[in-house]
């Protein structure tokens, strides 16, 4: 007898309302549900139920905070309207490897207004002519289909990784603005250096004023010097005059 894996043992010591991520891959569903999975998981944001033999989503509990749902490799062929009712905030949905055949089945996802990424890889619907263009036209809210956007640009590995990278960028910006504790001292030193420069600039301004005063004084001194030079020249002329006056006397002597 095949043993069915249950999540009860995993969650025995943990309250369901505190769980945000739950991976139930390769468990076996019974009549379209997995024992223990209920709407008690009010904070659940990520749920993976890959290869659990799900044939329908009719018994999926209400998970209003769920953002990412992995349902690959099951046997789901329809009933996708349940997702908009019970998981209205989905941004990522993986239905690859299911039994989805036509656009009418996918049309039910139009009510998932926050859906950004949809994966239908390895479903029969991918064999339709103009499959990608038809899906993008039908579900205009999505950005990525089977891992690529309309311009064939590859999607990031996961939406969560994008959020983390965004947070890291924000943290880097915050670190650039605030700086870790070790850098505060360096910045303080730089600030001190900057203040020294500021003082130096003030001193330079004072020095310029001082120099200007010196130049003024130098000009006055130059004037005095010229005047003093003039007195000396007059004295020299007087001496020469005396010499000229004495020369005839000396000659007479």
């Amino acid at each position: 007898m095949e043993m069915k894996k249950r999540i009860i043992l995993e969650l025995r010591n943990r309250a369901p309302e505190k769980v945000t991520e739950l991976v139930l891959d390769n468990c076996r569903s019974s009549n379209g549900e997995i024992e223990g999975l209920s709407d008690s998981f009010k904070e659940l944001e990520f749920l993976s139920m890959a290869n659990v033999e799900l044939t329908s989503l009719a018994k999926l509990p209400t998970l209003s905070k769920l953002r990412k749902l992995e349902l690959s490799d099951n046997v789901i062929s329809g009933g996708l309207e349940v997702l908009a009712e019970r998981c209205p905030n989905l941004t990522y949905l993986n239905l690859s490897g299911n039994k989805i055949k036509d656009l009418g089945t996918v049309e039910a996802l139009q009510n998932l207004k926050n859906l950004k990424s949809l994966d239908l890889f390895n479903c029969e619907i991918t064999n339709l002519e103009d499959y990608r263009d038809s899906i993008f036209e039908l579900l205009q809210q999505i950005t990525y289909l089977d891992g690529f956007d309309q311009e064939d640009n590859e999607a990031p590995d996961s939406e969560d990784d994008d959020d983390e990278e965004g947070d890291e960028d924000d943290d880097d910006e915050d670190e650039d603005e605030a700086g870790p504790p070790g850098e505060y001292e360096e910045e303080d030193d730089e600030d001190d250096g900057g203040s020294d420069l500021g003082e130096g600039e003030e001193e330079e301004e004072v020095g310029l004023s001082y120099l200007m005063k010196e130049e003024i004084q130098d000009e006055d001194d130059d004037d005095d010097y010229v005047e003093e030079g003039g007195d000396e020249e007059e004295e020299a002329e007087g001496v020469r005059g005396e010499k000229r006056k004495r020369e005839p006397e000396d000659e007479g002597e």
Side-chain angles (χ1 to χ4, degrees):
M1 178 180 178
E2 182 181 356
M3 296 297 293
K4 295 182 180 180
K5 294 183 180 179
R6 300 180 180 182
I7 62 173
I8 296 176
L9 292 176
E10 298 177 7
L11 302 173
R12 178 175 293 173
N13 298 322
R14 190 173 182 185
E17 61 271 13
K18 294 183 180 180
V19 176
T20 58
E21 296 185 5
L22 188 59
V23 178
L24 304 174
D25 297 351
N26 304 313
C27 294
R28 289 294 176 263
S29 64
S30 176
N31 297 323
E33 67 177 344
I34 294 180
E35 186 177 355
L37 181 63
S38 68
D39 55 9
S40 297
F41 293 86
K42 297 179 180 180
E43 300 297 320
L44 198 62
E45 297 180 2
F46 172 81
L47 174 61
S48 183
M49 295 191 296
N51 190 32
V52 298
E53 297 183 354
L54 273 179
T55 58
S56 170
L57 297 175
K59 295 184 179 181
L60 183 70
T62 298
L63 304 168
S64 58
K65 291 191 176 182
L66 195 67
R67 296 175 59 248
K68 186 173 181 178
L69 179 59
E70 293 272 0
L71 295 172
S72 60
D73 300 321
N74 286 291
V75 285
I76 300 168
S77 59
L80 300 183
E81 62 275 359
V82 173
L83 293 173
E85 297 172 5
R86 302 179 188 176
C87 308
N89 292 309
L90 279 182
T91 60
Y92 175 91
L93 176 62
N94 188 348
L95 290 168
S96 62
N98 280 275
K99 301 300 181 181
I100 298 171
K101 300 179 180 180
D102 54 62
L103 294 174
T105 302
V106 178
E107 187 175 3
L109 300 177
Q110 287 179 332
N111 294 324
L112 286 172
K113 303 301 182 182
N114 297 319
L115 189 65
K116 299 300 179 186
S117 181
L118 174 64
D119 197 334
L120 296 171
F121 179 74
N122 207 27
C123 292
E124 290 186 39
I125 192 174
T126 60
N127 295 324
L128 296 177
E129 187 177 357
D130 298 327
Y131 153 70
R132 286 182 59 81
D133 291 340
S134 299
I135 294 293
F136 277 118
E137 183 177 354
L138 183 64
L139 304 176
Q140 297 185 9
Q141 77 272 34
I142 69 172
T143 302
Y144 299 103
L145 176 61
D146 301 336
F148 293 87
D149 65 12
Q150 287 182 281
E151 305 298 328
D152 290 330
N153 296 311
E154 189 173 3
D157 290 339
S158 73
E159 214 170 45
D160 291 339
D161 290 343
D162 288 344
D163 293 339
E164 289 176 4
E165 289 176 4
D167 293 339
E168 289 175 2
D169 291 340
D170 293 339
D171 292 340
D172 290 340
E173 290 176 3
D174 293 337
E175 288 177 3
D176 290 340
E177 292 176 2
E183 292 182 2
Y184 279 120
E185 297 178 359
E186 296 180 2
E187 290 182 356
D188 290 339
D189 294 340
E190 291 177 2
D191 291 340
D192 293 341
S195 62
D196 291 341
L197 289 174
E199 292 176 2
E201 290 174 358
E202 291 177 358
E203 291 175 1
E204 184 178 359
E205 291 178 359
V206 172
L208 288 173
S209 301
Y210 180 75
L211 289 174
M212 290 174 66
K213 290 180 181 178
E214 282 191 345
E215 288 176 0
I216 295 171
Q217 292 176 356
D218 288 343
E219 289 177 358
D220 295 339
D221 292 343
D222 290 343
D223 294 339
D224 294 340
Y225 177 77
V226 170
E227 291 177 358
E228 291 176 1
D231 294 340
E232 291 177 356
E233 289 178 357
E234 290 178 356
E235 291 177 358
E237 289 178 357
V239 171
R240 285 196 295 271
E242 291 179 359
K243 286 182 179 179
R244 290 194 189 98
K245 290 178 182 178
R246 289 178 181 177
E247 285 176 358
E249 295 177 356
D250 294 336
E251 292 176 357
E253 292 176 355

